Amino acid sequence: HDGHMYIIDGKSACIDKIDFGENSYSMVLADDLSGNGYMDLIVSTMNGNVYLLNTETKFHPLKTWTSQTQGLNGFTAKEGYVGIMISPESRVHRDVVGDHFKVMFEIVDKRKHQRRDFHQKYHVKITVGRGVPILSKTYYRASRYVEIVRTPTERMQSTLYITMRNEYSQYYEDSMPISFNMQFYNTIKWLVLIPFGLLAVVLMLNKATNQSLALDQFGLEYDD
């Protein structure tokens, strides 16, 4: 509240601070907003300003903190402990063309269980936005998975959410921007242009052949 953002090293307890000169009562958020593969810090102030600070920390989905409370779990940490994340191969923003697409994700669980009869369980849902479910499945092992899911029936730009609840109903999620069949007209454009292009090539070759034959015939008549 004194206009400074304090940065504390958890291992050495060293403290550094950045002077913004403006009061802030909101939590500092973390994500890769610039798309450079490194974490960014987002600071908003009571003056209505929003600051984006670049860092040298590599981006990881379980490091992000996109809201004051992490979903339904309050302030539960995820990195190196438990969570679910979309794999880098699927995280690349793309326009999905067709009626199916592949989603690769990883369930992370580093918890140490003392009970031998303990059985892990992870119920995973994938939705487009918050209201279009495309997968609901239960897994029993923390690992990497690949699922082929159906695309929505409508063209759209949206956010793909993947959520997980463990055996204690603790909730974790990851998300990424995605679009569906927004560029389909590019395929139609080439389907229309290619036949015309081939026809033009055939006509040009035919014209060149006719001209060559005409010149040959003219040459023969001139020799006679």
Side-chain angles (χ1 to χ4, degrees), residues 48-102:
N49 296 317
V50 179
Y51 296 92
L52 178 68
L53 306 178
N54 300 121
T55 73
E56 296 180 354
T57 301
K58 289 256 181 110
F59 170 79
H60 191 281
L62 299 185
K63 290 181 180 178
T64 61
W65 205 288
T66 56
S67 62
Q68 184 172 0
T69 56
Q70 293 277 40
L72 305 179
N73 291 340
F75 302 94
T76 302
K78 302 177 294 182
E79 184 191 7
Y81 187 55
V82 61
I84 189 169
M85 63 181 186
I86 301 171
S87 300
E89 298 86 348
S90 291
R91 185 173 290 276
V92 178
H93 177 66
R94 64 193 188 280
D95 181 60
V96 176
V97 178
D99 57 357
H100 290 81
F101 70 104
K102 181 189 300 182

Side-chain angles (χ1 to χ4, degrees), residues 13-28:
C14 292
I15 300 176
D16 196 3
K17 64 180 180 180
I18 301 175
D19 184 7
F20 286 98
E22 303 176 35
N23 291 333
S24 176
Y25 298 96
S26 61
M27 181 178 178
V28 178

Side-chain angles (χ1 to χ4, degrees), residues 144-163:
R144 293 170 59 93
Y145 295 94
V146 180
E147 296 288 352
I148 306 298
V149 296
R150 293 189 61 86
T151 60
T153 56
E154 299 179 1
R155 298 172 55 235
M156 66 174 68
Q157 293 178 334
S158 187
T159 301
L160 185 74
Y161 290 95
I162 180 167
T163 65

Side-chain angles (χ1 to χ4, degrees), residues 190-209:
W190 288 111
L191 290 176
V192 174
L193 289 179
I194 288 176
F196 279 103
L198 293 175
L199 179 61
V201 171
V202 171
L203 292 176
M204 292 176 62
L205 292 175
N206 187 44
K207 182 178 180 181
T209 301

